[in-house]
Amino acid sequence: EPENGFAKLKLLDEYLTLIFSHSTTKKVNNEYIKKELVSRSKINSLNILFEISILGLLLKYFDQSKIILYPKTIGNKNVEASIILIDIEVYLEATVIGESEEDQNKRIEMTNKNKRVWGGSRDIDKDTGRVTLRLKNKAEQMIVGKPNVLVLGTYDFQPNQFNIKSAIEDNQFSNI
């Protein structure tokens, strides 16, 4: 659908304009976004598109004076945004969890053979371990004792079989 693609490009342009023109956006953030958009890594590109969507929606629907983009948190780390909601600063981090290298190889093999259905099964423990590791890495960016929100997207060949529920329920990181 060309119309749908055009609408998505217009929305991307709108969100990038909001982000790049926001008073708290620094040149280094703009360069980071541009670099990730043209990354050779599909997951990096998907992650930045997800991030742009989240930040664009924040800037479009909330008071921009209450939003800080890419604020520093712990050490030299940062999150995507902080926003004042009902006089409380909330930190927001957005990330995408992609398919494992093993699943990516299986998808490529299936695509090369023109197969659309895979008769195999997923290693749920592997998925849980990858999600737990991502939660751990993201928790290190967030401030303990402050309200932190993690917006989690998934990119996977078979998302209906991608099990993140057990990792989320087992979340041992009190700051998320």
Side-chain angles (χ1 to χ4, degrees), residues 2 19 24 35 50 55 66 81 85 92 99 107-108 110 117 120 126 129 137 140 151 158 166 173:
I19 293 167
T24 63
K35 180 184 84 135
F50 185 65
L55 295 178
K66 298 192 182 269
L85 297 173
L92 181 102
E99 58 194 356
R107 177 180 48 79
I108 290 168
M110 290 172 51
V117 178
K126 176 191 68 174
N137 292 339
E140 292 171 359
V151 183
Q158 295 178 313
S166 55
F173 311 107

mmCIF file of all heavy atoms in Angstrom, residues 2 19 24 35 50 55 66 81 85 92 99 107-108 110 117 120 126 129 137 140 151 158 166 173:
data_model
loop_
_atom_site.group_PDB
_atom_site.id
_atom_site.type_symbol
_atom_site.label_atom_id
_atom_site.label_comp_id
_atom_site.label_asym_id
_atom_site.label_seq_id
_atom_site.Cartn_x
_atom_site.Cartn_y
_atom_site.Cartn_z
ATOM 1 N N PRO A 2 1.039 1.900 -1.133
ATOM 2 C CA PRO A 2 1.863 3.114 -1.187
ATOM 3 C C PRO A 2 1.356 4.220 -0.266
ATOM 4 O O PRO A 2 2.127 4.944 0.328
ATOM 5 C CB PRO A 2 1.782 3.543 -2.647
ATOM 6 C CG PRO A 2 1.317 2.348 -3.394
ATOM 7 C CD PRO A 2 0.547 1.505 -2.434
ATOM 8 N N ILE A 19 11.599 15.767 17.693
ATOM 9 C CA ILE A 19 12.769 15.366 18.489
ATOM 10 C C ILE A 19 13.936 16.310 18.230
ATOM 11 O O ILE A 19 14.549 16.829 19.169
ATOM 12 C CB ILE A 19 13.152 13.902 18.178
ATOM 13 C CG1 ILE A 19 12.064 12.947 18.681
ATOM 14 C CG2 ILE A 19 14.512 13.555 18.803
ATOM 15 C CD1 ILE A 19 12.178 11.528 18.158
ATOM 16 N N THR A 24 15.815 20.220 24.596
ATOM 17 C CA THR A 24 16.804 19.428 25.342
ATOM 18 C C THR A 24 17.607 18.479 24.459
ATOM 19 O O THR A 24 18.491 17.783 24.955
ATOM 20 C CB THR A 24 16.122 18.601 26.456
ATOM 21 O OG1 THR A 24 15.215 17.665 25.867
ATOM 22 C CG2 THR A 24 15.394 19.508 27.438
ATOM 23 N N LYS A 35 22.788 7.907 12.900
ATOM 24 C CA LYS A 35 23.674 6.740 12.737
ATOM 25 C C LYS A 35 22.889 5.433 12.855
ATOM 26 O O LYS A 35 23.057 4.521 12.056
ATOM 27 C CB LYS A 35 24.789 6.796 13.793
ATOM 28 C CG LYS A 35 25.767 5.629 13.706
ATOM 29 C CD LYS A 35 26.791 5.687 14.830
ATOM 30 C CE LYS A 35 26.237 5.088 15.995
ATOM 31 N NZ LYS A 35 26.468 4.299 16.939
ATOM 32 N N PHE A 50 11.586 2.418 16.866
ATOM 33 C CA PHE A 50 10.721 2.242 18.038
ATOM 34 C C PHE A 50 10.917 3.424 18.988
ATOM 35 O O PHE A 50 9.959 4.021 19.474
ATOM 36 C CB PHE A 50 11.060 0.904 18.707
ATOM 37 C CG PHE A 50 10.167 0.533 19.851
ATOM 38 C CD1 PHE A 50 8.829 0.268 19.654
ATOM 39 C CD2 PHE A 50 10.682 0.415 21.131
ATOM 40 C CE1 PHE A 50 8.006 -0.099 20.711
ATOM 41 C CE2 PHE A 50 9.872 0.048 22.189
ATOM 42 C CZ PHE A 50 8.532 -0.205 21.983
ATOM 43 N N LEU A 55 9.257 8.566 21.549
ATOM 44 C CA LEU A 55 9.578 9.967 21.831
ATOM 45 C C LEU A 55 8.663 10.918 21.060
ATOM 46 O O LEU A 55 8.218 11.936 21.605
ATOM 47 C CB LEU A 55 11.047 10.256 21.503
ATOM 48 C CG LEU A 55 12.078 9.531 22.362
ATOM 49 C CD1 LEU A 55 13.486 9.872 21.895
ATOM 50 C CD2 LEU A 55 11.894 9.845 23.833
ATOM 51 N N LYS A 66 7.802 19.776 29.944
ATOM 52 C CA LYS A 66 7.930 18.812 31.043
ATOM 53 C C LYS A 66 8.698 17.559 30.629
ATOM 54 O O LYS A 66 8.730 16.572 31.353
ATOM 55 C CB LYS A 66 6.549 18.441 31.574
ATOM 56 C CG LYS A 66 5.810 19.647 32.135
ATOM 57 C CD LYS A 66 4.601 19.237 32.903
ATOM 58 C CE LYS A 66 3.861 20.433 33.420
ATOM 59 N NZ LYS A 66 4.277 20.842 34.734
ATOM 60 N N ALA A 81 13.990 9.353 27.909
ATOM 61 C CA ALA A 81 13.314 10.588 28.313
ATOM 62 C C ALA A 81 12.979 10.562 29.790
ATOM 63 O O ALA A 81 12.889 9.504 30.411
ATOM 64 C CB ALA A 81 12.024 10.763 27.508
ATOM 65 N N LEU A 85 5.032 13.921 35.398
ATOM 66 C CA LEU A 85 3.619 13.536 35.411
ATOM 67 C C LEU A 85 3.089 13.752 36.824
ATOM 68 O O LEU A 85 3.619 13.164 37.784
ATOM 69 C CB LEU A 85 3.441 12.063 35.022
ATOM 70 C CG LEU A 85 3.863 11.662 33.615
ATOM 71 C CD1 LEU A 85 3.790 10.155 33.449
ATOM 72 C CD2 LEU A 85 2.988 12.348 32.576
ATOM 73 N N LEU A 92 11.901 7.112 31.353
ATOM 74 C CA LEU A 92 11.376 6.197 30.342
ATOM 75 C C LEU A 92 12.516 5.682 29.479
ATOM 76 O O LEU A 92 13.321 6.457 28.962
ATOM 77 C CB LEU A 92 10.376 6.949 29.453
ATOM 78 C CG LEU A 92 9.744 6.094 28.388
ATOM 79 C CD1 LEU A 92 8.345 5.718 28.831
ATOM 80 C CD2 LEU A 92 9.706 6.826 27.088
ATOM 81 N N GLU A 99 15.130 -11.234 17.486
ATOM 82 C CA GLU A 99 15.290 -12.679 17.455
ATOM 83 C C GLU A 99 16.740 -13.056 17.768
ATOM 84 O O GLU A 99 17.657 -12.272 17.535
ATOM 85 C CB GLU A 99 14.869 -13.217 16.082
ATOM 86 C CG GLU A 99 15.633 -12.615 14.927
ATOM 87 C CD GLU A 99 14.998 -12.895 13.584
ATOM 88 O OE1 GLU A 99 14.000 -13.609 13.503
ATOM 89 O OE2 GLU A 99 15.514 -12.372 12.590
ATOM 90 N N ARG A 107 15.353 -18.435 10.229
ATOM 91 C CA ARG A 107 14.496 -17.633 9.353
ATOM 92 C C ARG A 107 15.131 -17.469 7.975
ATOM 93 O O ARG A 107 14.466 -17.626 6.943
ATOM 94 C CB ARG A 107 14.248 -16.253 9.976
ATOM 95 C CG ARG A 107 13.428 -15.335 9.086
ATOM 96 C CD ARG A 107 13.184 -13.969 9.708
ATOM 97 N NE ARG A 107 14.358 -13.326 10.253
ATOM 98 C CZ ARG A 107 15.283 -12.681 9.529
ATOM 99 N NH1 ARG A 107 15.159 -12.621 8.214
ATOM 100 N NH2 ARG A 107 16.317 -12.103 10.108
ATOM 101 N N ILE A 108 16.417 -17.179 7.939
ATOM 102 C CA ILE A 108 17.119 -17.010 6.660
ATOM 103 C C ILE A 108 17.098 -18.316 5.875
ATOM 104 O O ILE A 108 16.840 -18.328 4.675
ATOM 105 C CB ILE A 108 18.560 -16.513 6.905
ATOM 106 C CG1 ILE A 108 18.520 -15.071 7.415
ATOM 107 C CG2 ILE A 108 19.400 -16.618 5.641
ATOM 108 C CD1 ILE A 108 19.839 -14.573 7.967
ATOM 109 N N MET A 110 14.878 -20.716 6.091
ATOM 110 C CA MET A 110 13.511 -20.938 5.605
ATOM 111 C C MET A 110 13.196 -20.037 4.410
ATOM 112 O O MET A 110 12.596 -20.466 3.430
ATOM 113 C CB MET A 110 12.501 -20.665 6.727
ATOM 114 C CG MET A 110 12.530 -21.700 7.827
ATOM 115 S SD MET A 110 11.502 -21.237 9.222
ATOM 116 C CE MET A 110 9.967 -20.840 8.445
ATOM 117 N N VAL A 117 6.396 -21.807 6.871
ATOM 118 C CA VAL A 117 5.980 -22.464 8.103
ATOM 119 C C VAL A 117 7.139 -23.295 8.622
ATOM 120 O O VAL A 117 7.773 -24.033 7.878
ATOM 121 C CB VAL A 117 4.740 -23.374 7.871
ATOM 122 C CG1 VAL A 117 4.345 -24.084 9.137
ATOM 123 C CG2 VAL A 117 3.596 -22.552 7.318
ATOM 124 N N GLY A 120 9.449 -26.568 13.757
ATOM 125 C CA GLY A 120 10.232 -26.696 14.987
ATOM 126 C C GLY A 120 9.547 -26.047 16.169
ATOM 127 O O GLY A 120 8.424 -25.576 16.097
ATOM 128 N N LYS A 126 15.703 -20.145 26.573
ATOM 129 C CA LYS A 126 16.632 -19.240 25.890
ATOM 130 C C LYS A 126 16.005 -17.859 25.760
ATOM 131 O O LYS A 126 16.649 -16.853 26.028
ATOM 132 C CB LYS A 126 16.997 -19.808 24.522
ATOM 133 C CG LYS A 126 17.888 -18.891 23.682
ATOM 134 C CD LYS A 126 17.982 -19.378 22.261
ATOM 135 C CE LYS A 126 16.633 -19.197 21.638
ATOM 136 N NZ LYS A 126 16.428 -19.448 20.289
ATOM 137 N N GLY A 129 15.984 -16.179 29.119
ATOM 138 C CA GLY A 129 17.330 -15.734 29.467
ATOM 139 C C GLY A 129 17.729 -14.455 28.738
ATOM 140 O O GLY A 129 18.331 -13.551 29.325
ATOM 141 N N ASN A 137 20.447 -5.232 31.801
ATOM 142 C CA ASN A 137 21.187 -4.144 31.155
ATOM 143 C C ASN A 137 20.424 -2.824 31.239
ATOM 144 O O ASN A 137 21.018 -1.773 31.490
ATOM 145 C CB ASN A 137 21.494 -4.479 29.696
ATOM 146 C CG ASN A 137 22.494 -5.608 29.569
ATOM 147 O OD1 ASN A 137 23.250 -5.894 30.488
ATOM 148 N ND2 ASN A 137 22.495 -6.271 28.431
ATOM 149 N N GLU A 140 20.371 -1.147 34.731
ATOM 150 C CA GLU A 140 21.604 -0.441 35.074
ATOM 151 C C GLU A 140 21.584 1.013 34.614
ATOM 152 O O GLU A 140 22.369 1.822 35.080
ATOM 153 C CB GLU A 140 22.815 -1.168 34.477
ATOM 154 C CG GLU A 140 23.063 -2.508 35.124
ATOM 155 C CD GLU A 140 24.111 -3.349 34.405
ATOM 156 O OE1 GLU A 140 24.642 -2.898 33.365
ATOM 157 O OE2 GLU A 140 24.391 -4.460 34.892
ATOM 158 N N VAL A 151 9.640 0.487 28.140
ATOM 159 C CA VAL A 151 8.735 0.170 27.035
ATOM 160 C C VAL A 151 9.462 -0.863 26.190
ATOM 161 O O VAL A 151 10.523 -0.595 25.642
ATOM 162 C CB VAL A 151 8.403 1.422 26.194
ATOM 163 C CG1 VAL A 151 7.410 1.066 25.095
ATOM 164 C CG2 VAL A 151 7.869 2.532 27.074
ATOM 165 N N GLN A 158 8.530 -15.216 14.629
ATOM 166 C CA GLN A 158 7.307 -15.841 15.128
ATOM 167 C C GLN A 158 6.948 -15.212 16.472
ATOM 168 O O GLN A 158 7.109 -15.834 17.523
ATOM 169 C CB GLN A 158 7.497 -17.348 15.277
ATOM 170 C CG GLN A 158 7.738 -18.037 13.943
ATOM 171 C CD GLN A 158 7.965 -19.524 14.122
ATOM 172 O OE1 GLN A 158 8.718 -19.943 14.969
ATOM 173 N NE2 GLN A 158 7.297 -20.303 13.295
ATOM 174 N N SER A 166 7.443 -14.929 31.353
ATOM 175 C CA SER A 166 8.107 -15.464 32.549
ATOM 176 C C SER A 166 9.264 -14.574 32.983
ATOM 177 O O SER A 166 9.505 -14.404 34.180
ATOM 178 C CB SER A 166 8.564 -16.906 32.327
ATOM 179 O OG SER A 166 9.380 -16.992 31.181
ATOM 180 N N PHE A 173 14.655 -6.845 39.168
ATOM 181 C CA PHE A 173 15.255 -5.516 39.177
ATOM 182 C C PHE A 173 14.217 -4.534 39.670
ATOM 183 O O PHE A 173 13.337 -4.106 38.942
ATOM 184 C CB PHE A 173 15.754 -5.166 37.767
ATOM 185 C CG PHE A 173 16.574 -6.283 37.182
ATOM 186 C CD1 PHE A 173 16.074 -7.084 36.166
ATOM 187 C CD2 PHE A 173 17.831 -6.565 37.691
ATOM 188 C CE1 PHE A 173 16.815 -8.128 35.654
ATOM 189 C CE2 PHE A 173 18.586 -7.606 37.177
ATOM 190 C CZ PHE A 173 18.071 -8.394 36.165
#
